[in-house]
Amino acid sequence: MTETDFILSNFDVSKASNGSVTWKTPSNIALVKYWGKQEPQIPENASISFTLDACFTLTTLEFRLKKKRPVTGSEFNFEIFFEGEKKEDFKPKIQKFFERIEQYVPFLKDYDFIIKSRNSFPHSSGIASSASGMSALALCVMSLERLLNGAEMTDEYFNKKASFLARLGSGSACRSIEGELIVWGNHTEIEGSSNLFGTKFPFKIHENFKNYHDTILLVDEDEKQVSSTVGHQLMNNHPFAQQRFQQANDNISKISEIIQKGDLKQFIKIVESEALSLHAMMMTSNPYFILMKPNTLKIINKIWEFRSKTNANICFTLDAGANVHVLFPESEKESVNNFIINELIQFCYKKHYICDIIGNGGTQLIVKNEQLKIGY
Ligand code: PMV
């Protein structure tokens, strides 16, 4: 599929004049990381992630057809409320998102929107909410598209286009539409993979990876000093960029086999190496920066100690921050949970942590729609 397949040409705004759609959409955690991109949000290498479940954003998009129509060359009209409060400072990001997606969903300027959003995790937890937030909004926009041109759209197209739109808001958001394992970025060995949207891992997932756990240890709840936008940009002139992109693509091939075979030991090696390679890129860019904190390293060392003592299949990964994602199979949850509580949460900010598990992607909760009345 190409970009033009996502341009909506046939639609009738009178089919939805006043209503709302609500989606609950999770975050995701990359096993093989995306770090480095080209315009417009095209990844330099393929990535693969576990879709999460407990860390989600709940978004309602209220829409009302503008009275003065047709609308030509006007502005997007929207208000945004986050956790009940009006947020003017969130507007530029949404404005940019609307500008980027407008050519694919040309009905946006026909409506006045109110966006109401909340997260299941604390806003200041250091957990990036862009993946769950942008994917939830993209799904809401797609539900509106479905009301306007409905009948012909398959679920497969709906999900692909939602992922395509979410990507234009935040790259990793395109991996939050569906579960349980999503690949984003062209890769010769992953059938159906694309730079434009995320696709479900096309092979059988071994039982060992069913209900895999991700306990997120909140080491630092402050805003990151370097945004991922800046981090991605720093890959443009990075001395190790090409080797890194090659390494990630090779790791996709390896992890694909590992996931099919259920090889937990090899899984651990790839996942931890990926996390440290991501942070190595940050430490070797110009300017360089470090997002890990002393407690991040303490946790990593504790995990290594516990693993060598017990042979447990526990490992860590990191995203662009100091928090540690502790990954482990369902069959080992009791011993690992005890270890986390007894030995790791002391390193968390105010002992905060979140127990999450592999999930299935977005869920549509409510659709309300009044159609245009004659004489409106
Ligand atoms: O989607 P962005 O632009 O916030 O970038 C996400 C980058 C990482 O979280 C570090 C890695 C990834 O693949 O999710």
Side-chain angles (χ1 to χ4, degrees):
M1 284 180 103
T2 65
E3 276 99 337
T4 47
D5 294 313
F6 294 114
I7 298 174
L8 174 69
S9 44
N10 246 335
F11 64 97
D12 174 2
V13 291
S14 70
K15 288 184 173 168
S17 54
N18 185 13
S20 69
V21 289
T22 300
W23 278 86
K24 174 186 159 195
T25 311
S27 185
N28 68 75
I29 181 69
L31 305 169
V32 172
K33 310 288 181 180
Y34 143 66
W35 198 241
K37 64 178 172 183
Q38 288 174 17
E39 280 294 322
Q41 305 275 89
I42 299 297
E44 291 278 14
N45 60 264
S47 57
I48 185 166
S49 54
F50 275 152
T51 304
L52 296 178
D53 185 58
C55 290
F56 61 82
T57 298
L58 189 69
T59 296
T60 297
L61 178 69
E62 295 178 3
F63 55 86
R64 179 180 276 272
L65 198 59
K66 284 179 182 161
K67 290 233 165 88
K68 253 198 184 164
R69 306 189 42 261
V71 279
T72 42
S74 55
E75 298 297 306
F76 298 111
N77 188 24
F78 63 94
E79 292 298 339
I80 172 140
F81 292 81
F82 181 71
E83 295 183 346
E85 265 178 48
K86 199 167 178 178
K87 289 278 181 191
E88 288 301 319
D89 51 328
F90 283 21
K91 277 188 145 181
K93 202 165 181 192
I94 307 294
Q95 171 75 24
K96 197 164 170 209
F97 176 56
F98 281 173
E99 283 167 13
R100 277 187 167 168
I101 66 171
E102 193 195 4
Q103 57 178 309
Y104 306 104
V105 279
F107 51 82
L108 291 180
K109 284 184 179 158
D110 287 303
Y111 288 92
D112 295 322
F113 292 115
I114 298 176
I115 302 162
K116 292 179 177 163
S117 204
R118 58 179 64 247
N119 291 338
S120 65
F121 46 91
H123 185 53
S124 61
S125 60
I127 298 183
S129 57
S130 61
S132 52
M134 281 300 173
S135 51
L137 186 55
L139 282 161
C140 287
V141 170
M142 280 310 293
S143 286
L144 180 54
E145 173 171 330
R146 190 170 242 170
L147 292 174
L148 305 183
N149 110 320
E152 306 131 45
M153 202 192 303
T154 63
D155 287 347
E156 192 188 344
Y157 180 84
F158 181 99
N159 284 335
K160 277 208 170 113
K161 185 164 175 184
S163 175
F164 173 85
L165 298 180
R167 184 196 105 240
L168 293 168
S170 161
S172 57
C174 78
R175 299 187 311 233
S176 275
I177 304 297
E178 294 179 274
E180 304 167 273
L181 263 171
I182 302 293
V183 179
W184 170 39
N186 287 336
H187 194 281
T188 47
E189 289 164 36
I190 308 285
E191 211 196 313
S193 60
S194 169
N195 282 340
L196 301 180
F197 47 80
T199 37
K200 268 166 145 347
F201 181 67
F203 307 108
K204 199 168 169 4
I205 301 172
H206 191 278
E207 278 301 306
N208 286 350
F209 295 105
K210 295 278 161 168
N211 298 323
Y212 223 72
H213 289 254
D214 176 8
T215 297
I216 308 163
L217 305 180
L218 306 175
V219 171
D220 184 21
E221 305 198 349
D222 290 345
E223 194 140 322
K224 306 183 272 209
Q225 301 102 318
V226 182
S227 70
S228 60
T229 309
V230 171
H232 285 292
Q233 270 167 14
L234 290 173
M235 287 305 281
N236 290 339
N237 294 314
H238 197 291
F240 307 138
Q242 292 314 317
Q243 293 93 321
R244 165 61 200 151
F245 303 145
Q246 185 61 47
Q247 176 196 41
N249 283 326
D250 292 347
N251 280 340
I252 292 277
S253 305
K254 290 183 192 153
I255 210 163
S256 164
E257 289 252 336
I258 289 167
I259 288 167
Q260 294 172 66
K261 285 197 185 130
D263 189 338
L264 294 168
K265 300 288 176 226
Q266 293 304 320
F267 176 82
I268 289 171
K269 282 194 182 156
I270 304 268
V271 169
E272 291 192 344
S273 161
E274 272 292 316
L276 295 180
S277 297
L278 168 71
H279 283 256
M281 290 302 109
M282 300 172 190
M283 291 191 249
T284 49
S285 61
N286 182 12
Y288 45 78
F289 59 104
I290 301 180
L291 295 183
M292 290 186 282
K293 297 281 179 197
N295 281 354
T296 311
L297 296 180
K298 284 192 183 137
I299 291 169
I300 291 174
N301 280 300
K302 278 274 178 197
I303 289 174
W304 285 346
E305 219 178 83
F306 179 71
R307 198 162 69 213
S308 71
K309 261 200 266 167
T310 63
N311 205 27
N313 290 301
I314 175 178
C315 69
F316 71 86
T317 188
L318 307 167
D319 60 16
N323 295 335
V324 182
H325 290 248
V326 185
L327 303 178
F328 50 98
E330 167 79 6
S331 59
E332 299 182 30
K333 68 175 179 210
E334 267 161 47
S335 55
V336 174
N337 275 334
N338 284 338
F339 162 65
I340 291 173
I341 289 162
N342 295 333
E343 298 200 42
L344 298 186
I345 61 167
Q346 59 176 314
F347 301 114
C348 297
Y349 178 73
K350 294 189 183 158
K351 299 199 169 167
H352 285 173
Y353 65 104
I354 299 171
C355 296
D356 213 334
I357 196 162
I358 240 184
N360 287 313
T363 321
Q364 183 173 263
L365 300 180
I366 310 165
V367 180
K368 291 185 197 151
N369 179 28
E370 254 176 49
Q371 294 204 357
L372 190 62
K373 312 244 176 13
I374 303 204
Y376 178 80

